């Protein structure tokens, strides 16, 4: 990877400091030109790209997180989009706006957090853009990954089973606690502040031919299952009794229905949701859980039709009473 | 290019509308997966990537521009980074935050403008992220291009000449007029609102072996020449008498020194600045200007040493009294 000498100016001083801090990760040969020029340049048969914007007051609050956590969380959420294609991270680019009245230290600390999230997945900081804003902090992370056979969300077939990694609702439990003026439980705070993109897990599942369709759960399982159903042209029926509700969601919820709501519609889980051929996961499930110490739970089934339904504990199947978070709800436009 | 069916929700309705509007551009074979999944996927020996963030109140004001122009300008500024590597645009990803109290129409119009800037260069909208913000509009554009031999900023050598395309200072003249409460001249407004990334020009110059080092002028020639000098480990001497000051900059300036300031430090020009071997450009200059109807001006020379100096009209060589715009000036951090 070629590095470019940066010009004068404090913005470049900041970037230099951050690059030095992030220098512990050996970049991939797929990176032809690293940070410092007008563009980074990578190569690959499949270069996966996604962008994810986090806005203070919408996606996070500065009262809730340290600056490093703001950066880490934004980058981890974006890197989760690579996991959602079973792609391997190469690098990130970070565009950051910090308030005019804040010291440059805030920008440096956010960038360091973003760099740490990337370094944890052996990805490097490929570039970025730092600016001032009269408004809230905005962190926009571009992820760049490598994929030979990307796993899309449109491959779910009737007869498939629907699976999720991990447990759902912990990040939503943290937000619930904060908005009620309480400190979240440590496990919930950790899930919100420092989510773990399931990159290794997705690669392993792809290598074991367990994936017909794949996405990551960012808006809540209810909404994201709906995206898979729409893309695949199928109906998905979720089983209420099998949803792996995180204990912190149950602890903070007003009752079982509310806990289910946090798990299905709370968002920010960054777990994987995938459709697998019948029997494909059962064969490898124990090895997966031994390898990653992450749960793997069958949460539903794929059928002909459209939309997402919920089978309740009595066996009755009904439309979902809620979907994932929508920034532009109907009637708004 | 594979397109993914999008799920329910008004955010996706908006994206659907925008994709339909942008559907007039035939995507490149290098795009394996288009918008709608977790990531776009492209392929290439050299995939050039850059990100550029535009913040309302910092980079533009809504009183100055129509929403479509805000999107067009943000995308064009970002696409200029591809020109700056002599790369060919493939697509863009746009992350957009619009105020909570604005109708969704604002987001749609900004995205349409960004899509138009891409379509003008035969690039497509590969993806994006739309969110609400309690603050100003933020448009973050990721550009994705194809480059076999990227032209970097570190190749300037002593003996080279420094050249620029077009004329400088028009966008800065527009900003000057607006901030003085006046309407800018139409040519200045156009340069600011709808800049033209010099993609074709850069490709042509690269094909004619005229480029030792290349960048685009986004922060002002003074600052960007400094970036080239730092990256290349050389000194650059600009010739005051040869700087192609745009007539609208001269018209709005308080005098010749102020006009020179707008041209050298005003920023937002998005012209090319490049170092060329001695004689390389003189041979092809007329053909370039005939082909593109864009000026090509020798503005300086490359020497051993470091930094950027200015040769004034008396022949005296002095340090530059100003540099490009710095969002994080010294002492700020």
């Amino acid at each position: 990877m070629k590095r470019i000498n940066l010009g004068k100016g404090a913005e470049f001083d900041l970037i230099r400091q951050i690059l030095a801090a992030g220098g512990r990760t050996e970049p991939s040969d797929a990176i032809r030109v690293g940070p410092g020029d007008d563009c980074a340049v990578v190569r690959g048969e499949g270069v996966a790209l996604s962008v994810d914007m986090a806005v203070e007051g919408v996606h996070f609050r500065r009262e809730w997180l340290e600056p490093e956590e703001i950066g880490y969380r934004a980058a981890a959420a974006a890197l989760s989009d690579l996991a959602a294609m079973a792609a391997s991270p190469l690098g990130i680019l970070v565009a950051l706006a910090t308030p005019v009245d804040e010291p440059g230290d805030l920008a440096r600390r956010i960038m360091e957090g973003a760099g740490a999230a990337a370094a944890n997945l052996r990805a490097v900081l490929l570039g970025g853009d730092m600016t001032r804003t009269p408004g809230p902090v905005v962190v926009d992370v571009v992820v760049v990954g490598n994929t030979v056979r990307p796993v899309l969300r449109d491959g779910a077939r009737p007869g498939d089973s629907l699976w999720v990694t991990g447990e759902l609702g912990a990040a939503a439990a943290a937000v619930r606690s904060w908005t009620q003026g309480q400190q979240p439980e440590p496990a919930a705070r950790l899930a919100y502040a420092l989510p773990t993109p399931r990159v290794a897990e997705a690669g392993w599942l792809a290598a074991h031919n367990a994936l017909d369709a794949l996405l990551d759960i960012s808006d809540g399982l209810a909404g994201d299952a709906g995206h898979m159903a729409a893309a695949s042209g199928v109906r998905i029926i979720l089983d209420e009794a099998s949803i792996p509700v995180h204990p912190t969601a149950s602890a903070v919820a007003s009752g079982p229905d509310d806990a289910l709501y946090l798990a299905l519609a709370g968002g920010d889980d960054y777990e994987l949701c995938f459709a697998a051929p019948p029997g494909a996961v059962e064969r490898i499930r124990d090895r997966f859980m031994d390898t990653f110490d992450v749960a793997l739970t069958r949460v539903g089934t794929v059928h002909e039709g459209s939309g997402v339904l919920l089978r309740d504990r009595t066996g009755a199947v009904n439309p979902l009473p809620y979907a994932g978070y929508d920034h532009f709800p109907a009637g708004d436009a």
Side-chain angles (χ1 to χ4, degrees), chain A:
Chain A
M1 182 174 82
K2 180 157 191 169
R3 284 185 189 273
I4 309 294
N5 286 327
L6 297 166
K8 282 196 292 189
E11 178 177 353
F12 294 99
D13 288 342
L14 263 184
I15 295 174
R16 247 186 297 262
Q17 285 176 24
I18 293 155
L19 292 176
R24 58 191 177 277
T25 301
E26 187 59 33
S28 161
D29 286 345
I31 301 171
R32 287 180 57 182
V33 179
D37 217 291
D38 297 285
C39 296
V41 181
V42 302
R43 79 182 109 212
E45 181 51 31
V47 177
L49 302 167
S50 183
V51 61
D52 205 37
M53 184 176 266
V55 178
E56 178 188 356
V58 177
H59 300 90
F60 64 90
R61 291 179 198 274
R62 275 200 272 167
E63 308 89 86
W64 300 350
L65 298 179
E66 294 297 315
E68 291 82 356
E69 291 173 326
I70 292 170
Y72 192 102
R73 181 176 183 278
L79 286 158
S80 179
D81 279 330
L82 294 177
M85 302 284 274
S88 304
L90 288 172
I92 62 174
L93 297 88
V94 182
L96 174 61
T98 49
V100 287
D101 54 357
E102 286 287 337
D105 189 48
L106 175 67
R108 184 185 55 73
R109 292 178 64 190
I110 293 172
M111 291 293 271
E112 279 182 358
N120 278 351
L121 296 170
R122 297 196 181 81
V124 298
L125 191 61
L126 283 172
D129 191 14
M130 294 169 75
T131 182
R132 291 303 197 179
T133 174
V137 172
V138 179
V139 193
D140 195 43
V141 180
V142 184
V143 293
V144 185
N146 186 50
T147 172
V148 179
R149 282 180 300 177
V151 182
L152 306 185
R153 51 178 64 182
D154 66 352
R157 288 173 292 203
D160 280 359
S161 296
L162 195 76
W163 296 79
V164 299
T165 58
E167 295 170 308
L168 307 177
V175 172
R176 173 73 63 89
S177 292
W178 275 312
T179 52
Q180 291 179 344
Q182 290 160 354
Q183 284 305 310
E185 288 192 42
R189 187 183 189 287
L190 189 69
Y192 178 86
L194 305 174
T196 303
R198 300 297 188 195
V199 165
E201 292 85 347
W204 193 95
L205 291 166
H208 287 79
N209 300 309
L211 304 176
D212 274 347
L214 174 67
L215 47 69
D216 70 321
I217 306 174
S218 50
D219 294 338
L221 176 60
D224 287 309
H227 298 159
M228 184 182 287
S232 297
V234 297
R235 165 169 294 177
I236 288 174
I237 301 180
L238 299 174
D239 281 310
E240 180 182 330
S242 65
I243 303 298
V245 180
H246 195 280
T248 60
S250 299
V252 81
S254 60
D257 282 355
D258 188 37
L260 187 70
Y261 171 81
L262 290 174
L264 289 184
D268 294 329
D269 291 308
Y270 304 112
E271 295 292 346
L272 301 174
C273 170
F274 61 97
V281 176
E282 288 79 353
R283 286 192 293 275
I284 57 174
R285 188 170 171 230
D286 288 348
R287 249 193 306 154
F288 177 93
M289 297 202 296
D290 285 349
T291 303
F292 296 108
D293 196 24
V294 170
L296 202 52
T297 308
R298 184 174 179 278
V299 293
T301 46
V302 180
H303 305 265
E304 291 191 8
S306 65
V308 180
L309 304 175
L310 184 68
R311 186 188 313 275
D312 69 19
R313 286 167 196 273
T314 71
V317 175
N318 294 298
L320 272 173
Y322 37 73
Y325 187 73
D326 190 342
H327 284 285
F328 292 85
D332 181 44

